[in-house]
Amino acid sequence: MTRFDLYHEKVHGLAMSILMNKSDAEEATQDVFLAAVREADRFQGNRALHPWIYRICVNSCLARRGRKRPRSRIFCRSSPKRARMRSRSRTGAGTSSAGFRIGSSER
């Protein structure tokens, strides 16, 4: 039994759990083993192989997921505090013509 046979199902399962898409997970699994072969000289032989392969898998899947989904951006023109202040100033109660709240001593 080869190392590929030992880790293929586990790596594919991990890729599926991250990517949630069968074809993407299959491609990522292939990429993981290609990267492992390509980077074999960087592997420290005195350590276990599976954490190294799983880390390659996680990194590969996160990179793939980042390429597939554009990051959504949330634009906020003002803070909630400012929005509350503006809504109070629109009512006119207790505000000056400039929209500032007037204290009880200034009325």
Side-chain angles (χ1 to χ4, degrees):
M1 184 172 255
T2 66
R3 296 202 190 272
F4 176 82
D5 296 328
L6 286 172
Y7 296 111
H8 180 264
E9 282 186 40
K10 291 179 182 180
V11 168
H12 186 265
L14 178 59
M16 271 296 291
S17 70
I18 296 170
L19 296 172
M20 305 284 204
N21 181 301
K22 186 176 181 174
S23 64
D24 287 344
E26 288 171 358
E27 288 179 23
T29 301
Q30 290 177 357
D31 291 347
V32 167
F33 287 103
L34 287 173
V37 169
R38 218 179 2 239
E39 302 294 327
D41 59 330
R42 296 179 67 186
F43 174 68
Q44 298 173 351
N46 59 345
R47 298 187 181 208
L49 182 62
H50 65 276
W52 183 68
I53 289 179
Y54 293 168
R55 188 75 249 167
I56 293 171
C57 181
V58 169
N59 291 342
S60 176
C61 290
L62 292 178
R64 181 178 295 274
R65 190 172 69 180
R67 288 190 303 262
K68 296 281 272 187
R69 294 185 197 161
R71 297 176 195 259
S72 61
R73 294 186 179 165
I74 299 172
F75 294 100
C76 181
R77 291 186 176 189
S78 65
S79 68
K81 184 177 178 182
R82 282 189 172 186
R84 284 193 304 271
M85 288 172 56
R86 273 198 300 259
S87 68
R88 286 183 192 153
S89 68
R90 289 183 185 135
T91 62
T95 59
S96 70
S97 60
F100 295 102
R101 187 149 180 83
I102 300 172
S104 59
S105 63
E106 295 176 306
R107 286 189 193 172

